[in-house]
Amino acid sequence: VVRDVESLLRSAVSEDIVLVLELDDDASSVVADPTQIEQVLVNLVVNSRDAMPEGGTITVAVAGVQLDESDDTVTPPLVPGTYTALSVADTGSGISEDVIPHVFEPFFTTKEELGTGLGLATVYGIVTQSGGSIGVRTALGKGTSITVYLPAVSGEVSEAGDDAVPESADHHGRESVLLVEDEEPVRDLVQRVLERAGYRVRAAALPSDALRVLEDGEHVDLLLTDVVMPEMSGYQLAARVLRVHPEIRTLFISGYAHAAAQAALSVDGDAVLLQKPFAPSELARAVRHVLDGTLPPEAS
């Protein structure tokens, strides 16, 4: 999975950041959803990138570890055993002691001006759902290392993840989705999730790009757009689209907590806001519900 997503990770960092992969081919297999592991990687690398505005090094490593006793820096606590460790370490600004206890809380962020990312709360949920734990080691001015420990599986395991919990076929579809998201790693990940669910996805980095897609006459069933973007907001984009194409369904996504209140001002009475952070399964479910005209419980 790390190798498959390497190009996406490299596109997420600036030229003054060195991305290093240290992958132990002898590390044991784990039982986990590949798309969710991709989301964990993208989230952690984006957070490391944002902690190094002047550049630095991000090291993504996979290694087998044998843990004989629990480490009190790991949550939830680990039991002794064999694990495969996936770590993302940076040489950035580090995390202060008062912030560390809150990093896995939903909507908690230290980068209010950016409003980006997928949320460490989602990372925590994915890891614990897979039977694993997370360790955080950091110091101000000395960088941060976040390690995901997943239980090792002995014997042969299908690369397709036969033992992982499958995504419900009810959340798949063949409709056309116009995705508008200005942050490349988030955009690429959402596109991969939806294409794996069977949707035809046309991705646009800016609202003007999305409008050109529609002007070219391309059929679109769903407009899936971030709320806060350059040029215009997702709501303003939807208003322009729906004036010409009132049949298109709308799904907003946002990492801003205050966006939930703005959803009441939506230009489309049938529109839904899905709050970041969200898991791939929640995204697929929300898309399916919006296209079917029903309201998913996770959305506002």
Side-chain angles (χ1 to χ4, degrees):
V1 171
V2 176
R3 289 195 177 97
D4 287 346
V5 80
E6 179 182 358
S7 60
L8 173 57
L9 298 179
R10 293 193 183 279
S11 70
V13 301
S14 56
E15 293 182 356
D16 56 359
I17 293 177
V18 178
L19 181 66
V20 178
L21 300 187
E22 297 180 352
L23 308 180
D24 180 3
D25 290 327
D26 295 327
S28 299
S29 299
V30 300
V31 176
D33 183 284
T35 301
Q36 291 186 337
I37 296 301
E38 288 181 6
Q39 184 173 6
V40 168
L41 280 164
V42 170
N43 175 277
L44 296 181
V45 168
V46 167
N47 284 342
S48 289
R49 176 202 68 188
D50 292 343
M52 299 187 298
E54 298 179 358
T57 300
I58 299 175
T59 302
V60 178
V62 175
V65 293
Q66 183 69 37
L67 300 178
D68 297 325
E69 57 184 26
S70 178
D71 184 336
D72 59 8
T73 66
V74 176
T75 55
L78 286 170
V79 297
T82 303
Y83 293 84
T84 294
L86 167 64
S87 64
V88 175
D90 63 61
T91 57
S93 57
I95 304 173
S96 62
E97 290 187 5
D98 61 316
V99 169
I100 293 175
H102 305 288
V103 294
F104 298 122
E105 294 177 1
F107 306 123
F108 179 81
T109 180
T110 59
K111 44 186 180 179
E112 296 289 350
E113 294 181 0
L114 297 178
T116 58
L118 298 173
L120 285 176
T122 293
V123 170
Y124 183 83
I126 290 172
V127 172
T128 54
Q129 177 185 338
S130 302
S133 299
I134 306 178
V136 179
R137 296 186 182 278
T138 184
L140 282 178
K142 297 183 179 179
T144 300
S145 176
I146 297 183
T147 303
V148 171
Y149 297 95
L150 296 173
V153 178
S154 59
E156 294 294 324
V157 177
S158 168
E159 189 173 313
D162 291 341
D163 295 322
V165 178
E167 181 67 55
S168 170
D170 292 341
H171 304 149
H172 288 210
R174 297 185 179 277
E175 290 91 341
S176 175
V177 178
L178 177 56
L179 166 64
V180 193
E181 166 64 64
D182 59 300
E183 189 173 10
E184 185 174 10
V186 178
R187 182 175 68 250
D188 289 349
L189 182 60
V190 170
Q191 181 172 3
R192 290 159 76 106
V193 169
L194 294 181
E195 287 180 342
R196 286 175 177 173
Y199 297 99
R200 292 175 288 112
V201 181
R202 181 68 182 270
L206 296 170
S208 57
D209 298 330
L211 291 173
R212 277 193 289 272
V213 169
L214 292 169
E215 289 170 359
D216 290 341
E218 193 161 328
H219 175 76
V220 171
D221 296 298
L222 174 71
L223 173 67
L224 173 57
T225 178
D226 195 11
V227 171
V228 180
M229 296 182 293
E231 299 182 343
M232 67 183 77
S233 73
Y235 296 140
Q236 292 171 321
L237 172 62
R240 292 185 59 172
V241 169
L242 294 172
R243 277 199 296 268
V244 182
H245 303 280
E247 74 283 359
I248 293 179
R249 300 275 186 173
T250 309
L251 172 61
F252 297 111
I253 57 176
S254 179
Y256 283 89
H258 70 264
Q262 295 179 2
L265 303 177
S266 170
V267 296
D268 178 4
D270 295 327
V272 171
L273 174 82
L274 183 62
Q275 198 76 53
K276 298 176 186 175
F278 49 77
S281 59
E282 294 171 334
L283 172 65
R285 185 159 55 247
V287 167
R288 188 67 262 157
H289 278 282
V290 170
L291 286 167
D292 291 341
T294 59
L295 183 64
E298 294 84 1
S300 300

